[in-house]
Amino acid sequence: AQSVTQPDIHITVSEGASLELRCNYSYGATPYLFWYVQSPGQGLQLLLKYFSGDTLVQGIKGFEAEFKRSQSSFNLRKPSVHWSDAAEYFCAVGASSGSARQLTFGSGTQLTVLP
Amino acid sequence: DVKVTQSSRYLVKRTGEKVFLECVQDMDHENMFWYRQDPGLGLRLIYFSYDVKMKEKGDIPEGYSVSREKKERFSLILESASTSQTSMYLCASRGGSNQPQHFGDGTRLSIL
């Protein structure tokens, strides 16, 4: 069975600082990996996805993530955080084959941005 | 852009009531999902459907059922609502197996 760990429940950064949100996954084969963002009272918006190929993935809003198979990680990064980035971030792992129920979500990381 | 619409943003119901949460998507997606979201627990899959009239249990199906009579609509049913089902409910849809899930804005359900 697949699983996702987001070790940081809450992260606080200053506006303009760099950001890295950690995600570790467990899955027996090559996974599909996703990062979603959720603003208060909203649904989840896809930031980026990894299926195969280049291990550095670019997403929307200036975010990127790097797939490291040896570390079973898919960390999300942004070089300079904006106040509007304050939200909750979810990492998800999906099976590369099998049934439709593919995504397993981490418990989320809440990001606070200080002015 | 994919549009997933949940019929209510906020809903308040009483214990024992039968509750219907509706979800509609406009992209002809085969796969649709219902999750509940609780603080510290992330998203947990309740049920999903991979075709009309087809459904499979997720991780926490107890106390819930679903209906998919048309491809675009996936309904979540709380047969007899309990206070433990107070939560945020999120619907999602997805096309092919290598496509991401697209989410609605959620329904915040309170059971009194």
Side-chain angles (χ1 to χ4, degrees), chain A residues 6 23 26 71 74 80 90 94 96 98 110:
Chain A
Q6 293 181 246
C23 173
S26 173
Q71 298 177 19
F74 189 57
S80 178
F90 292 93
S96 53
Q110 182 69 47

Side-chain angles (χ1 to χ4, degrees), chain B residues 13-31:
Chain B
K13 296 292 183 181
R14 297 207 172 272
T15 304
E17 281 192 70
K18 190 169 186 177
V19 181
F20 293 84
L21 303 183
E22 306 288 344
C23 176
V24 176
Q25 51 95 3
D26 66 355
M27 285 301 293
D28 202 37
H29 284 170
E30 291 85 8
N31 304 294

Side-chain angles (χ1 to χ4, degrees), chain A residues 32 34 36 38 40-46 49 51 88 90 95-96 98-108, chain B residues 9 31 33 35 37 40-43 45 48 50 57-59 88 90 94 97-106:
Chain A
Y32 292 161
F34 305 84
Y36 286 87
Q38 185 180 35
Q42 302 295 317
L44 274 68
Q45 180 184 20
L46 179 70
K49 61 184 185 287
F51 288 150
E88 190 158 21
F90 292 93
S96 53
S99 70
R101 63 154 297 179
Q102 292 183 351
L103 290 191
T104 299
F105 286 84
S107 55
Chain B
R9 293 297 303 275
N31 304 294
F33 306 82
Y35 295 89
Q37 181 181 16
L41 297 178
L43 276 72
L45 183 65
F48 67 99
Y50 50 90
K57 294 179 180 179
D59 298 316
M88 168 74 103
L90 291 166
R94 193 197 73 206
S97 60
N98 64 347
Q99 297 301 311
Q101 293 183 16
H102 298 270
F103 285 82
D105 286 338

Side-chain angles (χ1 to χ4, degrees), chain B residues 2 6 16 18 24 46-47 49 65 69-70 73 76 84 87-88 90 97 102 109 111:
Chain B
V2 177
Q6 295 184 231
K18 190 169 186 177
V24 176
I46 304 171
Y47 267 97
S49 169
S65 63
E69 296 297 318
K70 294 184 177 182
R73 186 181 297 272
L76 180 69
S84 65
S87 187
M88 168 74 103
L90 291 166
S97 60
H102 298 270
L109 175 64
I111 306 296

